[in-house]
Structures are given as C-alpha cells and as structure tokens.
Amino acid sequence: GQNIDQPTEMTATEGAIVQINCTYQTSGFNGLFWYQQHAGEAPTFLSYNVLDGLEEKGRFSSFLSRSKGYSYLLLKELQMKDSASYLCAVVDTDKLIFGTGTRLQVFP
Amino acid sequence: DSGVTQTPKHLITATGQRVTLRCSPRSGDLSVYWYQQSLDQGLQFLIQYYNGEERAKGNILERFSAQQFPDLHSELNLSSLELGDSALYFCASSPDPSGRPYNEQFFGPGTRLTVL
C-alpha cells in the first residue's frame, strides 16, 4: 500500500524561508510531485523529482531522497500570496497518490 | 487558466439521485484523470482514461463510473448518491505520451457536488 505523511499546518512570516517535509512509503516509486492549492481552487504544479537531489525553480526548490523515502519543498522570500495548501504526491507504479496536504499561513 | 474545463461548477442534488460531471481536457492531451476532494481528506485518485480507454483505477466506488469519448472529453457518473459523496470533484489532463502520470497534470476548476 501507500503512505504519505506531511504536516497538517505550518505558519511563517513574510520574507522568511519555510521547509515543508513529506515522507512516503510505496511499493513502486516512479517520482514525486509538489502542487500548490489555494482554498477553493484547483491544484497547480510546482515541481517533479524522480532522481535524488535538489531541483531549484525561482523561489521554490524541491529535494528528494529515494533511499530515505523523503522529500521537502523549500519556499524562500515568502510572500502573502504563498498562503495555500502544498500537496505532496507520489507516483506509485502507475497511479498518482496525494498526501493530505500542508496548509501554510504566511503572516506579515 | 489551465485549459481544462469542467461543467457544471456547482451541483446540488438529493440522496439516491444520479449526476454526470463533464470534463474537457487541454487540446492535445490524451489522458484524463478524475479526483475527489473532501473537506477532511486529500485528493483521492478515482480513475484515469487514456485515449478512450481506462488506464488506471484508484479508490472509485462501484456506484461511480466514467468514460472518455472519441473527442477525448470525459464524463464521471455518480449514482445512488449518499451524503458522504458531497465533495469537490476535479479532473486533470496530462500531455504524457506514455499515458502514465510522469508529467505535470493540469487541473480543471472542479465541480462542487452537494448531496442533501
């Protein structure tokens, strides 16, 4: 079966850096996605990792360690508009399985 | 705007009824995925179609069914509705030529279903 864990909620201050962790257990790992979802809206793609290491894209970076079943999403120079849920999703064989998401609140 | 359209935006119905949700993928995308999102749960993968054929199945109830038509639009049919079926239903499309979820998925705006 699959198991994906990420913190339920996090808070941070505008301009700061926040790291959202995700751990997973799957039988047929084929990559890990991060999506952003504002309340009541559709998820939007942030990153995809299939090999170990860090992928950087502007203010957002994503890291993967397949041996540890671990990923994190790093958000730098936080802005108020970054307040949203961040969904970790793992490709298990041929299905994309989402975690329950981390709700991030950014305060001024 | 992701390029994926879903209708209707909102749907209110009664227990025991049957509804159909519609999704049109982005131009050129062959895969359509359906997800259910309840308040207390994350996005739950229901089913995937690729170029007209069922490709993968998730936690889809037997009361639910889907299909993808030759023009690639897809419909999700929910029958014998229960209160617990109230949720946001998303469809997503993907350009992955293999028909596997190895590429970014583009999500539609969702259909909010309320069962009274």
Side-chain angles (χ1 to χ4, degrees):
Chain A
Q2 317 99 0
N3 192 32
I4 300 172
D5 287 315
Q6 47 182 137
T8 305
E9 286 193 10
M10 297 183 71
T11 59
T13 306
E14 200 174 11
I17 299 173
V18 71
Q19 178 174 311
I20 303 174
N21 297 325
C22 171
T23 58
Y24 63 88
Q25 290 178 309
T26 60
S27 51
F29 180 81
N30 274 318
L32 186 146
F33 289 85
W34 284 96
Y35 281 83
Q36 181 191 60
Q37 185 178 26
H38 285 98
E41 297 183 10
T44 54
F45 170 82
L46 290 177
S47 67
Y48 174 56
N49 295 67
V50 65
L51 299 175
D52 289 354
L54 187 69
E55 296 275 346
E56 296 185 80
K57 193 188 289 186
R59 294 189 299 115
F60 293 5
S61 304
S62 57
F63 172 83
L64 175 67
S65 168
R66 289 173 299 170
S67 62
K68 294 181 180 175
Y70 168 69
S71 172
Y72 68 72
L73 179 69
L74 192 71
L75 293 77
K76 301 177 190 173
E77 300 168 16
L78 280 171
Q79 302 175 10
M80 298 298 292
K81 67 178 182 179
D82 297 329
S83 292
S85 288
Y86 291 86
L87 314 179
C88 172
V90 173
V91 182
D92 185 357
T93 310
D94 59 353
K95 297 175 189 174
L96 187 60
I97 309 299
F98 281 84
T100 51
T102 299
R103 187 175 165 218
L104 174 67
Q105 285 185 285
V106 180
F107 293 100
Chain B
D1 185 354
S2 67
V4 178
T5 60
Q6 286 187 252
T7 56
K9 193 161 185 168
H10 299 277
L11 199 49
I12 301 174
T13 188
T15 54
Q17 295 298 305
R18 182 179 190 273
V19 297
T20 298
L21 313 184
R22 183 188 167 106
C23 169
S24 291
R26 294 186 330 149
S27 176
D29 288 355
L30 300 180
S31 277
V32 170
Y33 300 80
W34 285 99
Y35 295 90
Q36 179 193 57
Q37 188 173 40
S38 305
L39 273 175
D40 56 346
Q41 293 188 352
L43 271 170
Q44 300 285 319
F45 168 64
L46 296 178
I47 197 164
Q48 177 206 354
Y49 278 82
Y50 174 73
N51 203 19
E53 297 196 0
E54 183 183 305
R55 191 60 180 252
K57 220 167 188 177
N59 301 322
I60 188 165
L61 300 171
E62 283 192 16
R63 301 184 284 111
F64 295 2
S65 65
Q67 53 185 324
Q68 187 178 29
F69 295 86
D71 67 352
L72 300 178
H73 91 270
S74 178
E75 293 181 356
L76 179 68
N77 301 297
L78 315 176
S79 62
S80 302
L81 284 167
E82 302 175 359
L83 295 177
D85 297 327
S86 294
L88 199 50
Y89 290 84
F90 287 105
C91 82
S93 74
S94 171
D96 195 309
S98 70
R100 290 186 164 79
Y102 301 158
N103 267 35
E104 171 185 359
Q105 292 186 19
F106 296 84
F107 284 78
T111 293
R112 183 169 293 283
L113 174 67
T114 303
V115 182
L116 301 175

